[in-house]
Amino acid sequence: MTQDVEMAARHGNGAAADGAPYYPPPRTPDLDDDGRKKRTGTVWTSSAHIITAVIGSGVLSLAWSMAQLGWVIGPVTLMIFAFITYYTSSLLADCYRSGDQATGKRNHTYMDAVAAYLDRWQVWSCGVFQYVNLVGTAVGYTITASISAAAVHKANCFHKKGHAADCSQYDTMYMVVFGIVQIFFSQLQNFSDLSWLSILAAIMSFSYSSIAVGLSLARTISGRTGKTTLTGTEVGVDVDSAQKIWMALQAIGNIAFAYSYSMILIEIQDTVKSPPAENKTMKKATLLGVSTTTVFYMLAGCLGYTAFGNAAPGNILTGFGFYEPYWLIDFANVCIVVHLVGAYQVFSQPIFAAVETALAERWPNSKFVTREHPLVAGRFNVNMLRLTWRTVFVVVSTVLAIVMPFFNDILGFLGAIGFWPLTVYYPVEMYIRQRRIQKFTTRWLALEALSFLCFLVSVASAVASIEGVTESLKHYVPFKTKS
């Protein structure tokens, strides 16, 4: 590629900085139009990535969220945020290429897309929101996986000794084991290598979600249901007025952020082959992923609420809403752990890619940074930078999980402040800029109103999360992480 073409490529399809036309590099059988390894992603692999990212173990807390909101607001909130997620994700998918959707310059990351359309300070703020949330998610998944692993031991303990037995278990050992597993999986080079792991993780998420739904349905059919109401938990009966407000806000936040995966959407889209244009494939994958997620969320939330009523536990599997059959509870929790192994990688790969790309540009001639060492008959490559820095990242995230076991509450806060900018604000603003929508037109007002309402939800949920963190700190004893 000549220097002029390189300059043009940096400024997007249509023209270089001096107005010269942009000519993409010639295609070869093994490379795409940007000179990178040919992409092979499809609607199905992209859907698997989305489902792996969206249907986390948080699906098991939806019964609790429904209990705080009741039969009216709960299902309506689920449907509203499903629509918001699909709509804003479709806007974001159109920003993958600058200019023409089939031939324009690719934006390989979320920050690349923001840089192509918005100002420098917005690029900087996007990076802060995106990568803080990604790191926080890695720590949170380490904690959640350890809780599910400990729940396997507890289920067997309860089965042998009775439900009143003290079967509490320290989680630290499970966090360390989870971290060791992640060190190995972190050596997979990029999202393209994760397709099989995401498909496996998606199967696992379907499995434990189906088990939770099935057990809730069985409990409902048996008639051992809890008390449910149109407005959820009752003031003066289940909670006081202050608790009702805080928990309702936390529940809305949990539902809103349970759908969020926009922070990795562009990175997923960058694995998709073309033709057809990547935005068309991604919109189909988003529709499939969000629709599938919503069905499971509705079933898990509504049936779980029916089964347990206003006393629904925070997690109907690890919180032991169910004790028997213990072997099925064991299997469900193993599925959660396997799913989180894949989900950890889906959320960590953008961090890995950002750091490694920056270092490769800074030291392009360094063998430590760029040289690949083939192993296993050339089927697997080891890079010293990748081996060193990704191992350090996993170790640090594991240590943070061990010393801050209440980090899920903090993760709720990070999710609260990240939902509005990453899922709504940047996609809306980029779409307005891309389509040149004039200020104060009907379309502009509708988009800005959507953004503002989601901003209010984020602020309210962030405040509720701070209250939750405060409560956790009151009972926090370092290195005594029992579940």
Side-chain angles (χ1 to χ4, degrees):
M1 182 189 291
T2 66
Q3 184 177 5
D4 290 339
V5 173
E6 287 180 339
M7 289 179 62
R10 295 191 188 101
H11 293 278
N13 187 54
D18 58 1
Y22 164 60
Y23 299 100
R27 288 179 180 266
T28 67
D30 299 323
L31 300 177
D32 268 327
D33 55 1
D34 59 348
R36 297 194 177 190
K37 182 180 177 181
K38 200 165 188 66
R39 295 159 176 84
T40 58
T42 64
V43 170
W44 297 107
T45 60
S46 300
S47 298
H49 287 316
I50 292 170
I51 292 170
T52 299
V54 178
I55 302 185
S57 56
V59 67
L60 304 175
S61 68
L62 287 176
W64 178 88
S65 296
M66 292 288 289
Q68 312 315 310
L69 301 174
W71 283 119
V72 178
I73 299 178
V76 170
T77 302
L78 278 169
M79 294 304 300
I80 287 175
F81 283 104
F83 171 76
I84 291 174
T85 300
Y86 171 71
Y87 180 68
T88 58
S89 296
S90 296
L91 300 184
L92 186 56
D94 285 337
C95 298
Y96 173 66
R97 286 185 184 265
S98 302
D100 188 89
Q101 291 296 327
T103 60
K105 177 183 174 293
R106 297 173 186 266
N107 297 307
H108 303 292
T109 67
Y110 196 122
M111 286 184 65
D112 286 346
V114 174
Y117 293 100
L118 303 179
D119 300 329
R120 180 180 293 273
W121 76 268
Q122 291 174 303
V123 177
W124 181 86
S125 62
C126 172
V128 172
F129 284 121
Q130 183 183 14
Y131 291 109
V132 167
N133 272 272
L134 290 172
V135 173
T137 300
V139 178
Y141 279 177
T142 302
I143 297 170
T144 307
S146 70
I147 293 172
S148 291
V152 174
H153 166 84
K154 291 169 67 177
N156 287 275
C157 174
F158 285 132
H159 177 71
K160 293 177 181 178
K161 300 180 180 180
H163 300 169
D166 180 12
C167 293
S168 56
Q169 179 81 4
Y170 286 109
D171 298 337
T172 302
M173 176 185 68
Y174 298 106
M175 293 182 190
V176 172
V177 173
F178 185 81
I180 292 172
V181 171
Q182 291 301 339
I183 288 175
F184 287 97
F185 279 109
S186 293
Q187 298 310 309
L188 295 173
Q189 288 183 261
N190 51 46
F191 260 123
S192 297
D193 295 329
L194 284 177
S195 295
W196 67 271
L197 185 58
S198 282
I199 292 171
L200 174 62
I203 293 172
M204 293 296 101
S205 67
F206 283 134
S207 298
Y208 68 73
S209 298
S210 299
I211 290 171
V213 168
L215 290 173
S216 296
L217 180 61
R219 184 184 177 104
T220 300
I221 293 173
S222 71
R224 296 181 295 113
T225 58
K227 179 184 177 182
T228 64
T229 60
L230 291 178
T231 58
T233 52
E234 297 178 288
V235 176
V237 179
D238 304 303
V239 293
D240 59 37
S241 56
Q243 289 176 323
K244 177 67 176 179
I245 294 172
W246 290 126
M247 290 181 177
L249 289 175
Q250 289 176 8
I252 292 173
N254 287 347
I255 292 172
F257 313 130
Y259 278 105
S260 180
Y261 72 98
S262 297
M263 66 185 79
I264 58 172
L265 184 146
I266 295 293
E267 284 79 356
I268 294 174
Q269 192 168 348
D270 196 41
T271 68
V272 174
K273 65 182 179 181
S274 62
E278 297 87 355
N279 66 325
K280 293 182 179 179
T281 300
M282 199 62 194
K283 287 178 182 179
K284 291 179 181 178
T286 296
L287 179 60
L288 180 59
V290 172
S291 298
T292 303
T293 299
T294 303
V295 170
F296 270 93
Y297 281 6
M298 277 291 187
L299 289 172
C302 294
L303 286 175
Y305 183 40
T306 300
F308 296 101
N310 293 339
N315 186 315
I316 60 178
L317 290 179
T318 63
F320 286 89
F322 301 104
Y323 290 90
E324 301 292 343
Y326 77 98
W327 58 268
L328 190 59
I329 306 299
D330 286 351
F331 177 72
N333 279 298
V334 169
C335 288
I336 293 174
V337 174
V338 174
H339 168 244
L340 292 179
V341 169
Y344 182 104
Q345 288 299 314
V346 168
F347 280 95
S348 297
Q349 284 292 331
I351 306 173
F352 298 157
V355 171
E356 290 159 15
T357 299
L359 293 179
E361 291 176 352
R362 178 67 178 82
W363 292 291
N365 298 320
S366 170
K367 293 182 179 180
F368 179 84
V369 173
T370 61
R371 186 174 180 180
E372 297 285 342
H373 302 274
L375 295 177
V376 193
R379 296 181 180 180
F380 182 76
N381 292 330
V382 172
N383 171 273
M384 296 310 297
L385 169 65
R386 189 163 61 244
L387 178 64
T388 304
W389 122 256
R390 294 189 183 189
T391 300
V392 169
F393 175 87
V394 173
V395 170
V396 170
S397 66
T398 303
V399 170
L400 287 174
I402 292 171
V403 301
M404 293 193 300
F406 58 90
F407 197 82
N408 276 342
D409 294 315
I410 296 178
L411 186 61
F413 172 72
L414 295 175
I417 62 174
F419 166 72
W420 170 69
L422 295 174
T423 301
V424 182
Y425 174 76
Y426 293 117
V428 165
E429 293 302 316
M430 286 190 288
Y431 182 77
I432 289 174
R433 186 72 59 88
Q434 182 190 59
R435 299 302 173 95
R436 296 182 174 86
I437 299 173
Q438 296 298 314
K439 285 186 177 182
F440 305 112
T441 59
T442 301
R443 196 173 191 183
W444 183 89
L445 289 171
L447 288 168
E448 293 295 350
L450 171 64
S451 181
F452 180 70
L453 289 174
C454 291
F455 169 74
L456 294 179
V457 170
S458 275
V459 171
S461 298
V463 172
S465 296
I466 291 173
E467 194 273 340
V469 172
T470 302
E471 287 298 314
S472 295
L473 285 170
K474 291 179 181 178
H475 309 288
Y476 173 56
V477 179
F479 301 103
K480 294 293 183 181
T481 317
K482 268 192 176 183
S483 65

